[in-house]
Amino acid sequence: MSKAPLLAGVCSSDLTDLVNRFYAVSDKPGANEEYITFFNANCRVSVFQGQFNGQAEVLKWREKSWEDTLERFHEPLKIFVHSDKEIAVLGKYSMTFKDGQSQGSKFLALLSFDDDLKIVSMEAVPVQSQ
């Protein structure tokens, strides 16, 4: 996995490493318990599949997302820093389903963190290329 470069603002190496670890774990099937440790107990996740509130809902979404997925790969390309607790990640992903179909796209994720660098909110949307 390539490391995402910082483009704007000042971001700690801890936060950069966290983003890279987060996406690496998100691509591991069965790493549900490790995945949920990245989130604050009262987190909010908004993605094209819906909105999920709290760790329990996020965990259920995570488990369901792997039911039909064979493999997936997220690659953070750039990190845009708004503050020490708010960033945007531009990246790309590809995934293969168990039925052999595949898809991929660029994505934009907005992440907010608490003082312990746990994700408080995450909003992710696909980015269409022109």
Side-chain angles (χ1 to χ4, degrees):
M1 172 173 57
S2 63
K3 300 266 182 180
L6 298 178
L7 282 193
V10 177
C11 184
S12 71
S13 61
D14 289 345
L15 195 51
T16 304
D17 291 343
L18 176 69
V19 167
N20 288 305
R21 282 193 337 269
F22 172 71
Y23 284 108
V25 170
S26 76
D27 293 335
K28 287 184 192 176
N32 300 330
E33 294 304 320
E34 184 179 5
Y35 180 80
I36 204 65
T37 65
F38 286 93
F39 291 90
N40 174 290
N42 300 308
C43 61
R44 181 180 53 81
V45 172
S46 181
V47 291
F48 70 90
Q49 297 99 335
Q51 183 165 313
F52 308 95
N53 298 301
Q55 284 182 328
E57 284 188 15
V58 171
L59 184 58
K60 284 180 189 175
W61 162 67
R62 156 81 183 179
E63 292 166 344
K64 184 166 177 49
S65 72
W66 278 100
E67 287 178 1
D68 298 323
T69 303
L70 181 63
E71 62 182 3
R72 69 177 176 218
F73 177 71
H74 289 82
E75 182 180 358
L77 300 172
K78 298 175 184 175
I79 299 174
F80 300 88
V81 180
H82 181 264
S83 71
D84 62 342
K85 293 182 185 171
E86 294 179 335
I87 62 171
V89 178
L90 177 64
K92 63 182 180 178
Y93 80 93
S94 60
M95 61 193 312
T96 304
F97 298 98
K98 291 178 180 174
D99 67 4
Q101 295 185 32
S102 61
Q103 73 178 38
S105 177
K106 287 187 176 178
F107 68 88
L108 180 65
L110 305 175
L111 300 163
S112 298
F113 300 92
D114 64 16
D115 290 337
D116 297 320
L117 292 181
K118 300 289 185 184
I119 298 170
V120 174
S121 69
M122 178 176 81
E123 297 179 44
V125 296
V127 175
Q128 300 299 320
S129 298
Q130 297 287 337

